[in-house]
Amino acid sequence: MFLLIFGSVFHHQNVAVAGGRIDEPVYYVPGIIAYGLIAATFSSLVVSVVGYREAGIYKRRRTTPLPASAIIAARGLVAAVSAVAITAVLLAIGSAAFAAHIPGRTGPVFLLDIVVGALVFGCLGFAVASLVKNPDAAQPVVLAIVLPLCFISGVFIPILELPHLADRYWKGLPCARPRGRSARRV
């Protein structure tokens, strides 16, 4: 939905990126894919793990012969599969609606980025879930982490249009866009 909203609002504009200018809807496709990946892995894991833990579901599952590692792996796998599905849907929408595409030579790297991103954000989701003690606090904690991350990383606002103060902090963020020669290859 975000992709369609941003793509239709900024349909006749273009944005400066390293190496030139591109249509703004095309710019938003990878950013919204990153946001979808974060929502499918990090956000959903934090909220669901905290909710299940506080409802006592994990304690009840300890009485079954299923090891805890299998439950954790299954939750992570569901999040990763959701992230891949969201990526596929957003790529299809981006291609059909905005003529965005992934060059063939970068396809394997893109797939690797999605898998590694799902893994990393899944692990971060489990880690943050261990710190959140109340299910009512899970969603606000997630939003307090995800929204600044997305704004500073250029998901919602192109990086070159951010104030210079924010530009200084984007470099180490997980969904930050590449700059320089690496940006031209994608």
Side-chain angles (χ1 to χ4, degrees):
M1 181 177 242
F2 278 143
L3 181 59
L4 293 174
I5 291 170
F6 283 116
S8 62
V9 169
F10 302 110
H11 187 67
H12 297 291
Q13 298 178 18
N14 58 34
V15 63
V17 295
R21 296 187 76 77
I22 59 172
D23 291 335
E24 198 146 348
V26 173
Y27 172 86
Y28 283 114
V29 172
I32 300 299
I33 287 173
Y35 183 71
L37 184 129
I38 293 169
T41 54
F42 178 77
S43 302
S44 70
L45 281 173
V46 171
V47 172
S48 65
V49 167
V50 171
Y52 285 1
R53 183 187 67 222
E54 296 304 312
I57 292 173
Y58 290 136
K59 283 184 181 180
R60 281 185 256 147
R61 287 194 175 167
R62 278 193 227 158
T63 61
T64 68
L66 188 65
S69 61
I71 293 171
I72 292 170
R75 303 269 327 140
L77 183 63
V78 166
V81 168
S82 298
V84 170
I86 286 172
T87 300
V89 167
L90 289 172
L91 279 174
I93 291 171
S95 176
F98 309 117
H101 67 281
I102 297 173
R105 62 180 168 38
T106 62
V109 174
F110 178 76
L111 184 59
L112 180 66
D113 286 346
I114 296 301
V115 170
V116 170
L119 254 168
V120 169
F121 280 110
C123 291
L124 288 171
F126 282 117
V128 170
S130 71
L131 302 173
V132 179
K133 303 301 179 200
N134 184 344
D136 293 334
Q139 192 64 40
V141 167
V142 165
L143 289 175
I145 294 169
V146 171
L147 287 180
L149 173 72
C150 289
F151 276 103
I152 293 172
S153 297
V155 170
F156 299 126
I157 301 170
I159 290 232
L160 295 177
E161 294 177 14
L162 288 173
H164 289 2
L165 178 64
D167 189 44
R168 192 179 324 159
Y169 299 104
W170 79 274
K171 294 176 185 174
L173 297 176
C175 54
R177 297 182 191 276
R179 286 196 159 184
R181 290 188 340 194
S182 61
R184 287 184 222 124
R185 286 183 281 185
V186 175

